[in-house]
Amino acid sequence: MACAYSEHLDILRGLPIFAGSPPEALKLLAYLSQVESYAEGQTLAVQGQDARAFHHLRRGRALAVRELGARPVPVRELGPGDNFGALVLAVGGTNLFTVRAATELITLTVTGEALNKACDSFPALRPALLTALTRQVLAWEEDFIRRRPDDFTTLSREFGISL
C-alpha cells in the first residue's frame, strides 16, 4: 500500500491541475485515489450524467465522443498521461462527453467523494484547483488562437472570451 501511495502522490504532484495545491491535501488525495481497470468498450463517463471522477490514464486508450442525437461524434482519443473529468468534478456539473475504453485501460482515479473529503479537510484545495484549471483554459485558448487565427476570427463570438 505504501508503494502505491507514493506512486499515486508522485503522479498527482506532476499533474498541472494539482499545481499549487496544498501538499497535505495531495497526500490525502493520493491515499484516497484508486487504480481502476476497464475492459475494452467499458464506459468511464456518460454524456449528460453527473461527473463522478477525475481520471488519469496510466495504460491503454480511451475515446471521448459527443452524442449528437443518435450519432456519436468522435472528439478525441486519450492515451497514457491524458486526463479528463477535472473541471466538472471541481465545480460540479454533468459530463460533456461519453468516454469509453478503446483498449484495456488502467486509470488513477480521484472520485468526487475523495475530492470533497480533501476539500473539507483542506479548504485551500478547491481555490488552488480552480486557479490551475483557469490557467489551463487560458493556455488552451491562447494555443488555439495562435495555431488557428482564421478559425478564431470566425468563431470569436462563440469562443471563451466571455470567461
Side-chain angles (χ1 to χ4, degrees), residues 13-90:
R13 283 180 176 151
L15 298 175
I17 178 158
F18 295 112
S21 294
E24 295 303 314
L26 286 181
K27 290 177 183 177
L28 180 56
L29 283 174
Y31 176 75
L32 296 172
S33 63
Q34 306 163 33
V35 173
E36 295 184 343
S37 299
Y38 296 89
E40 181 179 343
Q42 194 171 357
T43 302
L44 287 77
V46 177
Q47 178 182 317
Q49 289 187 359
D50 287 342
R52 295 195 173 111
F54 164 78
H55 297 275
H56 172 75
L57 278 63
R58 305 277 314 277
R59 269 186 266 158
R61 302 198 94 47
L63 183 62
V65 298
R66 177 76 181 175
E67 308 288 342
L68 298 174
R71 186 174 60 105
V73 177
V75 174
R76 183 173 171 206
E77 185 174 291
L78 304 164
D82 287 331
N83 313 289
F84 71 92
L87 183 59
V88 292
L89 193 62

Side-chain angles (χ1 to χ4, degrees), residues 91-107:
V91 299
T94 59
N95 297 311
L96 293 176
F97 308 100
T98 295
V99 180
R100 287 189 186 87
T103 64
E104 287 187 21
L105 185 66
I106 304 223
T107 68

